[in-house]
Amino acid sequence: MYSLLRFRELPSTNTYARQKIKELSDKTVIVSDTQTAGRGRFDRNWISDIPGNIYLSIVLKPADVKPDVISTLSHYTAIAICRVLEQYPVKPQIKWPNDILVNGQKIAGILAESSFMGQKFNGLVLGVGINLNMPQNFLQRINQPATSLNLLLEKPIDQEVFRLDFLDTFFEDYENYLKSGFKMIKNEYIKKSSFIGEKVNVKCGKVVKSGVAQSLTDNGELILLIENGTLEKISVGEIY
Ligand code: BTN
């Protein structure tokens, strides 16, 4: 189904996967106990020096799949993370496009990076970081409100069990997702969203757009009702 490469420490599982993408086969999962240069979206750091948390990257090399399906695999990953968290049980919510929050605080993030050689698509690296066993005082080093599963449940979390459940959940529906795309999970994604009907600010590169989040398209784009009454579809950016 999938193969796993495990390391004690790497600079970043995403960086490793991207560097080796040609020799890594489809559905290889790179796992590291810690990272010395963990990366988040938009060049942010991802604090990764505490073992017991999830730091992994999934290498995917799907053939003949539409670009809009590839670009929403991170939305699909967010749903898989939520499904596992719900078993603990906590109530995760998604902040578009793929931040996972519990009680408004970030518990997991996804860094999706495509690799191209010229026009040729080499593969996608889906990096997943999940706070499972963060000490309270380390969360203060994170530059946004953050939480960790152990603190929510007031007990240590078995990271091996969580990782197995997550990878099983991810790969269970993966082939179906490649065929169907975002509409397969759209209702579940909307149900788990923290932002629908809310006034939000969306960072799109250097531009910030403000409006009320109406819904999502069948391709996972955010539909925003701008103050001048127009509807805008946003495909790349983040609610902050
Ligand atoms: C974000 O929310 O900004 C995305 C965070 C992604 C962090 C993970 S940890 C494993 C993988 N390797 C990295 O360097 N980053 C991702």
Side-chain angles (χ1 to χ4, degrees), residues 124-143:
L124 176 74
V125 177
L126 278 175
V128 174
I130 311 175
N131 297 338
L132 294 186
N133 289 295
M134 278 288 198
Q136 179 71 55
N137 56 338
F138 270 77
L139 291 179
Q140 283 145 20
R141 286 167 47 199
I142 300 175
N143 57 2

Side-chain angles (χ1 to χ4, degrees), residues 17 21 24-30 57-61 124-125:
I21 191 119
L24 294 171
S25 47
D26 183 34
K27 302 182 189 166
T28 303
V29 180
I30 315 293
S57 297
I58 306 174
V59 175
L60 299 171
K61 298 180 162 182
L124 176 74
V125 177

Side-chain angles (χ1 to χ4, degrees), residues 8-96:
R8 248 174 8 124
E9 187 165 273
L10 280 178
S12 150
T13 55
N14 264 44
T15 307
Y16 179 91
R18 285 181 64 186
Q19 281 166 353
K20 308 260 178 196
I21 191 119
K22 279 203 173 154
E23 59 211 73
L24 294 171
S25 47
D26 183 34
K27 302 182 189 166
T28 303
V29 180
I30 315 293
V31 171
S32 189
D33 292 344
T34 56
Q35 302 181 115
T36 52
R39 296 185 288 113
R41 297 182 77 218
F42 304 109
D43 289 329
R44 289 187 287 242
N45 296 330
W46 186 261
I47 293 175
S48 311
D49 43 359
I50 308 283
N53 299 294
I54 303 273
Y55 311 111
L56 65 79
S57 297
I58 306 174
V59 175
L60 299 171
K61 298 180 162 182
D64 301 326
V65 176
K66 292 197 208 115
D68 56 81
V69 174
I70 299 206
S71 66
T72 58
L73 273 167
S74 55
H75 298 48
Y76 170 74
T77 309
I79 290 290
I81 296 171
C82 288
R83 287 180 186 167
V84 179
L85 284 169
E86 281 161 1
Q87 291 163 23
Y88 275 78
V90 291
K91 193 172 178 289
Q93 286 194 300
I94 303 173
K95 182 154 71 80
W96 186 84

Side-chain angles (χ1 to χ4, degrees), residues 225-236:
L225 177 63
I226 312 279
E227 270 145 20
N228 65 11
T230 55
L231 286 175
E232 193 164 325
K233 287 182 201 163
I234 304 177
S235 50
V236 182

